Amino acid sequence: MIGQDVGRSCILVTIGGKNIMFDCGMHMGYQDMRRFPDFSYISKTGNYTDILDAVIISHFHLDHCGALPFFTEMCGYDGPIYMTHPTRAICPLLLEDYRKIAVERKGDTNFFTSAMIKNCMKKVIPINLHQTIKVDDDIEIKAYYAGHVLGAAMIYVRVGQESVVYTGDYNMTPDRHLGSAWIDKVRPDVLITESTYATTIRDSKRSRERDFLAKVYECVSNGGNVLIPVFALGRAQELCILIEAFWERMGLDIPIYFSTGLTERGTEFYKLFINWTNQKLKSTFAQRNAFDFKHIKVWDRSYLAHAGPMVVFASPGMLNAGTSLQIFQKWAADPKNMIIMPGYCVAGTVGSKILLGHKLIEVDKFTKIQVNLQVKNLSFSAHADAKGIMQLIRMCEPKNVVLVHGERGKMNFLRSNIMKEFGISCYMPANGCSIKLETSRALEAKISTDLLKSLLSSTSSNTTTTNSLYPISSVPINATLLMHFNNKKQIQSSPTVEIIKPTAFTDEKESKQKRQLFFQVEKAFQVANILSDLAHTEATPEDMERRILDLFQIALTRTIGKMCSIERKTTSIIARSVSLWLLNLQYICIKWSFEDEDLASFVLGAVNTVLHDQPSNSTI
């Protein structure tokens, strides 16, 4: 599984005895074989077709589909591949464009050819939104609208009574050309969600648009050039619609260009698949096509020699190669010029170095760029932010959540929030790490109508409350036996015994002096058995303690969440008089008063479910 990484998305899920691979992407920050996923995790012998039952591609971005021809034509996978119609149409364009850059310009070897891309696409089975596809007798898949880019889909897979949702990349906020992601309340056993912006809550989209237009206008008014690196499809069309309307409204004649080829052809696909755009574009399409731009012209390389001012949209968005890198190299030295980064950049790319504030960027061993131009970062990324991820979890109500496609530190923060708010388990596996989740299976039972009616009538006539299902919380105690030990080692004496009988306290002052009787249990555990990904991650003792307490909190929420409130503190969990804390990351300590004996029995049961694989080694 590729988990704590943005790029090279490739996730293998085994569900109901079936193996399904979600996405097959490449990493844009590497120029060697590390750019592709390590398929040896699937098979050491290369018999991928025998092992995998299906490959499903969520959308056309290269970090999700870029390794597909390599996997099918060079590694030998020959099984079914599923993606939506727009993804199938646009994927070959992006793959061929990247192949040209890698092979023809950079001279890379061991790379797929144009013929391999065509052969790979012939194996693809296109799917429609909300269409249920049966892969075989057991596997059903269904695609839901994900926003993000044209044709992006979230995938629901069901095998028997088990189910999983894989989001790919998605956006819960509609923009100027696409709608927001949406899914039924499918209640899957597992939701695998991206977490690119796990700690970000974006400001108003309108204010970002105003800020973007103001910065562009200010730069060109002062005679500077503006470079806006974008992916060929998605943000390019979004920002072109925005700036076209502004130029028209302001009556400006300063030239705007977008890089020819990929973006131009991509815009044609937006016209073809207009039904995948938002409602506004669909309703006005007959009168005016929003993608027929009046002020935006096709870019020609000769324009680099012009003095300016001008605005250029150029791909790729991370400046790792191509037109955007060429223009940046030409304009970077002039402080009048500006580069606006509207999207996410993978670590190691030129775009990432620009955002980090590097003043001297080494593109390769022959090329270094001095950076003096203005750098602005205005996020128009089509990924869900932290608020959107939580919104999707509420929408589909999963039993477990797995975070992928993100950075470890940010994922850790989101993980804690998910577990606290929803009381469900949340995982963030490292690259190459496997996790195993147990699912609850429904068992069919037959009952006669007469018996069911009699049971329902007896239940309705019972006037007792729901709390009667729980044991009575009052424990009858006739007396308490206390043993007093002398702690001084030099004095050897027998303990004294005292029997305390219940006394009717009438005076409030005396009542405060009543003795409290507490019990305490310590249960041993091994951290590695509870945190299955410990071998693949670096974690401080404080981090491990917090994660373990998160797991106990989830178990307690499920068990006693309706009986009483649960208070989570930094190093402990408290429910009435019952408290839990960790001792040296070796023991879980549970302490309670005799009045909460019944509550404590539920708590101990919840703790035991978390420690069920641990050897029994409890002390009182």
Side-chain angles (χ1 to χ4, degrees), residues 55-82:
V55 172
I56 305 175
I57 304 298
S58 62
H59 64 287
F60 57 67
H61 278 159
L62 291 177
D63 61 328
H64 291 261
C65 72
L68 189 60
F70 176 81
F71 185 54
T72 60
E73 307 310 306
M74 300 178 74
C75 296
Y77 174 72
D78 197 34
I81 304 167
Y82 295 91

Side-chain angles (χ1 to χ4, degrees), residues 333-381:
D334 191 342
K336 281 199 308 182
N337 297 333
M338 178 184 292
I339 182 169
I340 298 179
M341 305 295 294
Y344 184 87
C345 290
V346 171
T349 58
V350 174
S352 173
K353 294 173 183 176
I354 293 170
L355 290 175
L356 290 172
H358 292 195
K359 290 299 182 182
L360 183 65
I361 295 176
E362 185 175 335
V363 179
D364 52 45
K365 58 185 178 181
F366 304 108
T367 309
K368 293 182 180 180
I369 302 175
Q370 187 70 40
V371 181
N372 293 321
L373 83 176
Q374 305 167 59
V375 177
K376 305 296 180 183
N377 181 19
L378 296 173
S379 176
F380 284 88
S381 176

Side-chain angles (χ1 to χ4, degrees), residues 387-487:
K387 186 178 177 181
I389 295 169
M390 303 293 267
Q391 185 182 346
L392 183 76
I393 295 172
R394 288 190 200 94
M395 193 178 284
C396 73
E397 294 186 359
K399 299 180 181 70
N400 299 276
V401 175
V402 176
L403 301 179
V404 297
H405 199 279
E407 300 169 16
R408 180 175 175 269
K410 296 177 181 179
M411 294 165 79
N412 215 359
F413 180 81
L414 178 63
R415 175 180 175 272
S416 294
N417 287 345
I418 290 171
M419 291 195 293
K420 287 174 185 176
E421 180 161 342
F422 299 103
I424 58 177
S425 297
C426 184
Y427 306 87
M428 38 176 280
N431 292 358
C433 177
S434 297
I435 57 174
K436 184 178 181 181
L437 304 177
E438 291 193 7
T439 58
S440 56
R441 298 190 177 185
L443 300 176
E444 290 187 8
K446 294 182 179 180
I447 184 171
S448 67
T449 306
D450 293 337
L451 178 57
L452 182 59
K453 286 180 178 178
S454 65
L455 289 172
L456 292 173
S457 61
S458 64
T459 303
S460 60
S461 63
N462 190 348
T463 58
T464 58
T465 62
T466 307
N467 289 332
S468 65
L469 297 175
Y470 299 112
I472 299 171
S473 59
S474 59
V475 179
I477 295 181
N478 298 317
T480 303
L481 185 146
L482 294 181
M483 299 181 69
H484 299 279
F485 293 88
N486 195 323
N487 294 326

Side-chain angles (χ1 to χ4, degrees), residues 371-596:
V371 181
N372 293 321
L373 83 176
Q374 305 167 59
V375 177
K376 305 296 180 183
N377 181 19
L378 296 173
S379 176
F380 284 88
S381 176
H383 292 270
D385 61 3
K387 186 178 177 181
I389 295 169
M390 303 293 267
Q391 185 182 346
L392 183 76
I393 295 172
R394 288 190 200 94
M395 193 178 284
C396 73
E397 294 186 359
K399 299 180 181 70
N400 299 276
V401 175
V402 176
L403 301 179
V404 297
H405 199 279
E407 300 169 16
R408 180 175 175 269
K410 296 177 181 179
M411 294 165 79
N412 215 359
F413 180 81
L414 178 63
R415 175 180 175 272
S416 294
N417 287 345
I418 290 171
M419 291 195 293
K420 287 174 185 176
E421 180 161 342
F422 299 103
I424 58 177
S425 297
C426 184
Y427 306 87
M428 38 176 280
N431 292 358
C433 177
S434 297
I435 57 174
K436 184 178 181 181
L437 304 177
E438 291 193 7
T439 58
S440 56
R441 298 190 177 185
L443 300 176
E444 290 187 8
K446 294 182 179 180
I447 184 171
S448 67
T449 306
D450 293 337
L451 178 57
L452 182 59
K453 286 180 178 178
S454 65
L455 289 172
L456 292 173
S457 61
S458 64
T459 303
S460 60
S461 63
N462 190 348
T463 58
T464 58
T465 62
T466 307
N467 289 332
S468 65
L469 297 175
Y470 299 112
I472 299 171
S473 59
S474 59
V475 179
I477 295 181
N478 298 317
T480 303
L481 185 146
L482 294 181
M483 299 181 69
H484 299 279
F485 293 88
N486 195 323
N487 294 326
K488 296 180 180 179
K489 294 184 179 179
Q490 62 271 26
I491 301 175
Q492 299 292 333
S493 61
S494 300
T496 60
V497 178
E498 181 184 3
I499 296 178
I500 302 174
K501 293 184 178 181
T503 305
F505 293 99
T506 56
D507 185 77
E508 185 178 348
K509 185 176 180 181
E510 288 184 276
S511 178
K512 291 180 180 178
Q513 297 174 353
K514 185 167 61 172
R515 299 195 187 198
Q516 289 286 319
L517 180 62
F518 286 92
F519 302 94
Q520 181 170 321
V521 169
E522 296 174 0
K523 287 182 169 288
F525 66 88
Q526 294 181 3
V527 175
N529 289 345
I530 295 180
L531 304 178
S532 58
D533 63 342
L534 191 63
H536 303 271
T537 57
E538 297 178 5
T540 62
E542 292 79 12
D543 187 32
M544 289 187 284
E545 180 180 29
R546 179 182 54 75
R547 289 181 59 190
I548 292 170
L549 285 176
D550 285 343
L551 295 175
F552 286 121
Q553 183 182 359
I554 291 171
L556 291 177
T557 303
R558 291 173 175 171
T559 307
I560 62 170
K562 295 181 180 179
M563 298 169 60
C564 65
S565 62
I566 300 170
E567 182 184 0
R568 172 64 187 275
K569 296 189 174 181
T570 306
T571 58
S572 64
I573 304 171
I574 297 173
R576 290 211 296 250
S577 72
V578 184
S579 57
L580 289 83
W581 70 95
L582 300 184
L583 183 62
N584 299 328
L585 286 176
Q586 294 177 329
Y587 297 91
I588 174 73
C589 302
I590 308 102
K591 183 180 179 181
W592 68 93
S593 70
F594 76 88
E595 290 94 343
D596 284 327

Side-chain angles (χ1 to χ4, degrees), residues 134-282:
K134 288 190 73 69
V135 178
D136 57 24
D137 292 338
D138 301 313
I139 306 174
E140 291 183 359
I141 63 175
K142 189 175 183 179
Y144 288 92
Y145 191 80
H148 188 62
V149 293
L150 190 72
M154 298 185 288
I155 307 297
Y156 171 71
V157 177
R158 186 175 186 86
V159 180
Q161 297 174 3
E162 298 176 335
S163 60
V164 61
V165 169
Y166 173 67
T167 66
D169 293 346
Y170 63 100
N171 191 5
M172 298 299 291
T173 306
D175 55 31
R176 289 179 176 267
H177 74 297
L178 294 175
S180 58
W182 181 87
I183 191 170
D184 288 319
K185 202 175 290 293
V186 291
R187 298 184 176 91
D189 292 297
V190 185
L191 169 69
I192 304 172
T193 174
E194 68 139 317
S195 53
T196 314
Y197 289 96
T199 59
T200 302
I201 297 180
R202 295 197 189 94
D203 56 1
S204 163
K205 194 169 188 299
R206 293 281 184 186
S207 67
R208 265 181 288 137
E209 290 179 347
R210 284 195 299 268
D211 198 15
F212 167 79
L213 293 171
K215 283 179 168 53
V216 171
Y217 182 69
E218 181 184 2
C219 182
V220 295
S221 297
N222 293 328
N225 299 313
V226 180
L227 171 62
I228 307 169
V230 288
F231 290 108
L233 294 137
R235 293 317 90 199
Q237 286 72 28
E238 169 80 0
L239 295 175
C240 281
I241 292 173
L242 175 63
I243 206 167
E244 168 82 6
F246 181 75
W247 246 240
E248 182 71 22
R249 188 167 65 250
M250 298 292 290
L252 301 176
D253 59 359
I254 296 169
I256 307 172
Y257 303 104
F258 64 84
S259 56
T260 187
L262 212 58
T263 307
E264 186 180 16
R265 291 175 65 188
T267 302
E268 294 301 316
F269 282 112
Y270 273 86
K271 299 175 185 177
L272 179 63
F273 295 107
I274 193 70
N275 284 336
W276 282 76
T277 61
N278 63 24
Q279 190 57 44
K280 182 179 179 181
L281 290 189
K282 284 187 281 190

